[in-house]
Amino acid sequence: MRIGSEEHKELFCRSFLSSHLEYDPPELPWPHLTEAELARLRAIPVWTMALQTELNAGVMVNGFAESQPDWLIRQAIRLQGYEEDRHARMIGYLSQRYGLDAQPTEPTLRPERRAFIDFGYAECVDSFLGFGVFRLAREIEFLPDALISLFARVMIEEARHIVFFVNWIAYERARRGYGAPLLQALPTAIGYVRALAKNVGRAKAVDQKEMGFAAAGEVFGDVTLPSFLRTCLEANESYMAAFDPRLLRPQVIPHIARFALLLMGQRKKSPKARTIPHNA
Ligand SMILES: [Fe+2]
Ligand SMILES: [Fe+2]
């Protein structure tokens, strides 16, 4: 299959559309939490930022979808917008139910191509790290599994979003005549640099708030950078194994992580990844 062909477009759009999960956040089996568990959940300092990110994404992605001339691509990006909105509803419901006090403002992201591309690369970075944090949180039992497991569907959706994005952007560039690997390399590098720079800014913002990472730090205290990166890589491989082998996958961040492990002399061959199916 040639990247940029009709066949490629059909595959990345239709596999995205057909793997959509049906659920409504308030209908999920939200568990009762003890006071200690509530305190731990409330000490995580990211709720407002997480909710704001999803709200911004929902509005921007939905708006951007409407600018797409191709019917199939429009349907797929609309579906992503719906899923981002639902992530916002998921965090909003969590915040309301457990008193997390997330206080977002009006979404301001404009529904433009530049914003969609920036968001796509940012999702590639965030999802890779998120897969690792999610797996560790489950292993360490940072919170009851009855709560953490509700977010497994969100992780699967983010995996679908980033696979859709890297295929969409490669398809777009190929259609515009910039499909050659070298012509793709520069805008891809710029995209990741912008995403990483944004992450550094966000980390500083959280740091400045000096909120309770201490609680998380105690529980995640044994996790070293190499073990975290290995967990991210293994989790990422499990999510990526569920996709059609003809589809492109995000490569840059996993390559950087492998390279970092190599520099630290820490790269162990990971066992064959367990596939996380889209309906897990
Ligand atoms: Fe999302
Ligand atoms: Fe997403």
Side-chain angles (χ1 to χ4, degrees), residues 16-17 20 74-83 160:
F16 181 69
L17 290 163
H20 173 66
R74 192 161 64 245
Q75 300 307 312
I77 298 181
R78 264 187 198 155
L79 180 66
Q80 185 187 348
Y82 171 80
E83 291 180 357
R160 287 169 53 256

Side-chain angles (χ1 to χ4, degrees), residues 49-153:
M49 192 183 289
L51 180 52
Q52 189 74 57
T53 302
E54 300 291 358
L55 281 173
N56 289 350
V59 171
M60 183 275 292
V61 175
N62 276 315
F64 179 66
E66 299 316 311
S67 70
Q68 293 304 293
D70 184 282
W71 179 85
L72 190 55
I73 290 180
R74 192 161 64 245
Q75 300 307 312
I77 298 181
R78 264 187 198 155
L79 180 66
Q80 185 187 348
Y82 171 80
E83 291 180 357
E84 300 297 4
D85 264 345
R86 191 167 55 179
H87 293 168
R89 287 197 287 124
M90 194 80 185
I91 298 172
Y93 191 82
L94 177 88
S95 171
Q96 182 200 338
R97 183 178 171 110
Y98 300 113
L100 307 183
D101 200 30
Q103 297 196 347
T105 53
E106 274 298 298
T108 51
L109 256 189
R110 292 164 68 91
E112 292 165 352
R113 182 182 162 84
R114 181 74 258 166
F116 185 72
I117 293 175
D118 277 349
F119 177 68
Y121 284 117
E123 283 213 292
C124 290
V125 178
D126 293 349
S127 299
F128 181 79
L129 301 175
F131 296 155
V133 170
F134 184 72
R135 178 170 285 193
L136 280 176
R138 281 189 104 161
E139 280 171 5
I140 295 170
E141 297 178 350
F142 181 65
L143 287 162
D145 199 57
L147 178 64
I148 299 186
S149 62
L150 298 183
F151 286 84
R153 48 184 57 74

Side-chain angles (χ1 to χ4, degrees), residues 11-266:
L11 179 66
F12 74 78
C13 289
R14 294 208 185 277
S15 58
F16 181 69
L17 290 163
S18 65
S19 54
H20 173 66
L21 296 169
E22 291 287 346
Y23 66 91
D24 192 17
E27 316 264 282
L28 295 175
W30 298 92
H32 173 78
L33 297 185
T34 64
E35 278 306 315
E37 289 161 350
L38 279 174
R40 188 171 273 187
L41 189 63
R42 289 174 186 150
I44 301 172
V46 300
W47 299 120
T48 296
M49 192 183 289
L51 180 52
Q52 189 74 57
T53 302
E54 300 291 358
L55 281 173
N56 289 350
V59 171
M60 183 275 292
V61 175
N62 276 315
F64 179 66
E66 299 316 311
S67 70
Q68 293 304 293
D70 184 282
W71 179 85
L72 190 55
I73 290 180
R74 192 161 64 245
Q75 300 307 312
I77 298 181
R78 264 187 198 155
L79 180 66
Q80 185 187 348
Y82 171 80
E83 291 180 357
E84 300 297 4
D85 264 345
R86 191 167 55 179
H87 293 168
R89 287 197 287 124
M90 194 80 185
I91 298 172
Y93 191 82
L94 177 88
S95 171
Q96 182 200 338
R97 183 178 171 110
Y98 300 113
L100 307 183
D101 200 30
Q103 297 196 347
T105 53
E106 274 298 298
T108 51
L109 256 189
R110 292 164 68 91
E112 292 165 352
R113 182 182 162 84
R114 181 74 258 166
F116 185 72
I117 293 175
D118 277 349
F119 177 68
Y121 284 117
E123 283 213 292
C124 290
V125 178
D126 293 349
S127 299
F128 181 79
L129 301 175
F131 296 155
V133 170
F134 184 72
R135 178 170 285 193
L136 280 176
R138 281 189 104 161
E139 280 171 5
I140 295 170
E141 297 178 350
F142 181 65
L143 287 162
D145 199 57
L147 178 64
I148 299 186
S149 62
L150 298 183
F151 286 84
R153 48 184 57 74
V154 174
M155 293 293 130
I156 291 169
E157 282 164 352
E158 297 303 8
R160 287 169 53 256
H161 294 174
I162 61 178
V163 169
F164 176 80
F165 172 71
V166 294
N167 281 278
W168 171 82
I169 191 110
Y171 170 85
E172 277 273 301
R173 287 185 186 142
R175 296 299 253 203
R176 289 164 182 239
Y178 302 114
L182 267 178
L183 290 175
Q184 292 239 22
L186 184 63
T188 302
I190 292 172
Y192 278 109
V193 168
R194 285 169 69 101
L196 287 167
K198 211 185 241 168
N199 264 23
V200 171
R202 260 195 333 200
K204 278 191 186 145
V206 170
D207 205 32
Q208 276 162 10
K209 285 187 190 157
E210 287 187 303
M211 286 157 72
F213 260 133
E218 278 166 27
V219 183
F220 286 93
D222 291 342
V223 179
T224 61
L225 180 60
S227 72
F228 175 63
L229 289 178
R230 264 199 305 276
T231 304
C232 290
L233 279 167
E234 285 166 19
N236 183 63
E237 280 164 28
S238 296
Y239 285 104
M240 292 305 130
F243 292 89
D244 187 297
R246 292 168 295 170
L247 288 171
L248 300 171
R249 275 102 167 125
Q251 299 285 356
V252 172
I253 300 298
H255 278 326
I256 292 175
R258 277 186 214 104
F259 186 62
L261 281 171
L262 210 66
L263 288 181
M264 292 185 265
Q266 294 281 345

